[in-house]
Amino acid sequence: MITSIIVGLIALVLFVLRQNVMSSPMMNLSVFKYPMYVVGLILVALCPMIFMTTLIILPMFLQTGAGLSPFTAGLMLLPGSALFGLLSPRIGHLFDKHGPKWLVIPGFVIVSVMLWFFTTLSPASSIAFMVAVHIGLSIGTALILMPAQTHALNQLPPDLYPHGTAVINTLPQVTGAIGIAVAVSILMDGMDKYLHGFSALAKQVEMANAMSAGAYNVFVYMIILALIGLVTAFFIRRGVVNRKEVHSHH
């Protein structure tokens, strides 16, 4: 995994260097000159690292730790995922009224609290508890994602909108993939450490508890990401690019 990440980072650096010397770059990286765009980009990039990782780790826990079938595990994630989609229009109205800061900050607070609840998961945790916490996580993520993305793009002059959109659509996929890879490594490491010293038969018996131990480490890792996002959210400032900046790019 480490080798793949290093190769990916080297390829990313080479891509950035190439784009900076091209007369007509495929992706104009001058969007990074706008601080509020970068702040929004960081917030948007953190969301999939948390939400997508949860969508991978939680079903693994539900099947191995709680002994549920894959079908049941999938159904448990449905309410939160559906609510995430339904909330977007309403959050758009709140964004117009209150701006991004007072949506994103509560969003990260909610996400942090829900992740803390997830650290308490055990094979004895009730299905209702896990569904409720996942719904809370979905609500918190919805409060972050659209406002942060819209605010970031509002900071760019019109000629950079396509490039800003391309970056803001691409980076979350990259960070989401990295977040999942790191989380699975943390999960496996936590399980291995818990099972160390057990006999082969005991390891089978203790697998559910081992999954709980590994999942605990993953959710602590995601709490740290959420707190980074919460601190970053306090740097959000309202406002859009002024006319001088817009004309200077034409």
Side-chain angles (χ1 to χ4, degrees):
M1 185 197 75
I2 300 298
T3 303
S4 299
I5 291 176
I6 292 173
V7 171
L9 289 175
I10 291 173
L12 182 62
V13 170
L14 292 175
F15 174 78
V16 170
L17 294 175
R18 173 63 177 157
Q19 294 302 299
N20 283 336
V21 298
M22 292 177 66
S23 57
S24 299
M26 182 173 67
M27 188 177 289
N28 191 332
L29 300 178
S30 63
V31 293
F32 290 98
K33 294 179 180 178
Y34 296 85
M36 284 302 101
Y37 175 81
V38 175
V39 168
L41 192 63
I42 292 171
L43 300 175
V44 171
L46 285 171
C47 278
M49 293 185 76
I50 296 171
F51 198 66
M52 289 172 61
T53 298
T54 303
L55 292 178
I56 297 296
I57 299 300
L58 196 53
M60 293 173 66
F61 173 83
L62 292 172
Q63 293 173 63
T64 305
L68 300 176
S69 69
F71 180 73
T72 304
L75 282 180
M76 287 178 63
L77 300 178
L78 181 60
S81 300
L83 185 61
F84 179 85
L86 293 173
L87 280 175
S88 294
R90 179 59 182 164
I91 290 173
H93 293 307
L94 292 174
F95 175 87
D96 294 336
K97 187 174 181 180
H98 302 290
K101 191 170 187 176
W102 304 117
L103 294 175
V104 174
I105 290 175
F108 272 113
V109 170
I110 293 171
V111 166
S112 300
V113 171
M114 294 303 116
L115 291 173
W116 179 80
F117 280 130
F118 271 136
T119 64
T120 68
L121 287 183
S122 73
S125 297
S126 71
I127 290 179
F129 171 77
M130 290 185 276
V131 171
V133 175
H134 183 252
I135 288 174
L137 184 69
S138 300
I139 293 171
T141 305
L143 286 171
I144 299 165
L145 195 56
M146 189 284 291
Q149 183 171 344
T150 304
H151 180 68
L153 292 173
N154 283 347
Q155 311 310 306
L156 300 177
D159 59 319
L160 288 180
Y161 285 166
H163 300 284
T165 302
V167 171
I168 216 165
N169 287 337
T170 302
L171 188 63
Q173 298 180 46
V174 175
T175 57
I178 293 173
I180 291 171
V182 173
V184 171
S185 296
I186 292 172
L187 178 70
M188 294 297 110
D189 182 66
M191 293 179 67
D192 289 341
K193 287 180 178 177
Y194 181 88
L195 294 172
H196 182 71
F198 283 102
S199 65
L201 182 60
K203 284 182 179 180
Q204 293 180 355
V205 175
E206 290 291 328
M207 188 59 69
N209 290 328
M211 176 62 75
S212 296
Y216 171 85
N217 293 342
V218 172
F219 288 119
V220 169
Y221 149 69
M222 288 197 286
I223 287 173
I224 294 171
L225 294 180
L227 292 177
I228 291 172
L230 178 60
V231 172
T232 305
F234 281 96
F235 291 92
I236 292 176
R237 297 288 181 272
R238 295 198 72 169
V240 295
V241 175
N242 62 43
R243 290 182 177 274
K244 290 182 180 179
E245 287 177 306
V246 172
H247 289 310
S248 68
H249 285 80
H250 287 289

